[in-house]
């Protein structure tokens, strides 16, 4: 089955591309999810309009993403967590936690755009990549601190 993508689909193609997919994948996922339309003769005539619109929309999104990227690069998030031995956290800092902290600072970013391979489980300073656009990736500085003041932590270690 040939379909025309209305949105970017990971590992399949970009908006406006004509791709060949399995019948079930097209009928059960792409078409009901409004991610694609069937590639009929009438719809193929609409492709040029969609591509021009997609280029304009992508350019606008990229400019907005670059502006947001400059704001995020200057941002620092600080998390306090309970700490055990060897600076190992009870719990962790996840992409959801980072998304909530960004939202509290006035940035609405989906947690799926935060490219955190594994949750942060130790104290330290991290630079977490945030994929704002296909071509724009920003890095947010995340600092994870223990919940004990340093003087108590030193006394507890002795």
């Amino acid at each position: 089955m040939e379909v025309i993508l209305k949105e970017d689909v990971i590992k399949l193609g970009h908006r406006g591309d004509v791709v060949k997919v399995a019948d079930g994948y097209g009928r059960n996922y792409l078409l009901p999810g409004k991610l694609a339309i069937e590639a009929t003769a009438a719809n193929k005539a609409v492709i040029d309009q969609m591509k021009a619109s997609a280029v304009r929309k992508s350019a606008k999104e990229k400019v907005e993403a670059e502006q947001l990227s400059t704001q995020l690069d200057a941002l620092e998030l600080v998390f306090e967590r309970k700490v055990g031995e060897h600076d190992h956290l009870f719990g962790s800092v996840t992409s959801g936690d980072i998304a909530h902290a960004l939202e509290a600072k006035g940035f609405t970013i989906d947690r799926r755009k935060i490219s955190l391979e594994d949750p942060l489980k130790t104290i330290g300073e991290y630079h977490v990549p945030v994929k704002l656009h296909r071509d724009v990736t920003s890095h947010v500085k995340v600092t994870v601190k223990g919940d004990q003041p340093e003087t108590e932590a030193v006394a507890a270690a002795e």
Side-chain angles (χ1 to χ4, degrees):
M1 158 182 250
E2 278 193 338
V3 294
I4 303 167
L5 297 178
K6 292 171 73 175
E7 297 292 330
D8 291 350
V9 179
I10 297 172
K11 296 184 182 175
L12 188 59
H14 299 293
R15 194 178 334 183
D17 290 350
V18 178
V19 294
K20 202 169 195 120
V21 296
D23 290 347
Y25 184 61
R27 276 195 313 270
N28 298 325
Y29 178 70
L30 295 175
L31 297 177
K34 306 250 188 270
L35 297 173
I37 56 175
E38 211 167 334
T40 62
N43 288 339
K44 285 184 180 182
V46 178
I47 290 176
D48 293 333
Q49 281 184 327
M50 280 180 60
K51 282 192 176 182
S53 172
V55 167
R56 287 192 305 273
K57 185 176 178 182
S58 180
K60 181 181 175 193
E61 288 172 351
K62 185 176 180 180
V63 168
E64 291 172 357
E66 286 172 345
Q67 291 172 348
L68 183 60
S69 175
T70 57
Q71 293 174 340
L72 289 179
D73 284 339
L75 192 66
E76 180 180 356
L77 301 176
V78 179
F79 292 94
E80 271 194 16
R81 296 288 192 258
K82 287 192 173 225
V83 181
E85 289 184 23
H86 309 294
D87 293 337
H88 191 73
L89 299 180
F90 293 119
S92 60
V93 177
T94 63
S95 58
D97 295 332
I98 295 170
H100 288 300
L102 287 171
E103 194 170 315
K105 296 212 181 231
F107 299 101
T108 306
I109 295 178
D110 187 13
R111 68 173 177 78
R112 292 174 292 218
K113 292 185 177 189
I114 300 171
S115 304
L116 193 61
E117 291 181 22
D118 294 317
L120 306 176
K121 294 185 178 190
T122 56
I123 291 178
E125 189 175 291
Y126 303 91
H127 293 280
V128 179
V130 179
K131 190 163 179 72
L132 301 172
H133 185 266
R134 175 178 358 166
D135 301 328
V136 179
T137 302
S138 179
H139 291 276
V140 175
K141 183 177 177 185
V142 175
T143 305
V144 181
K145 294 183 177 180
D147 61 346
Q148 300 176 345
E150 286 186 30
T151 55
E152 289 180 26
V154 170
E158 292 176 0

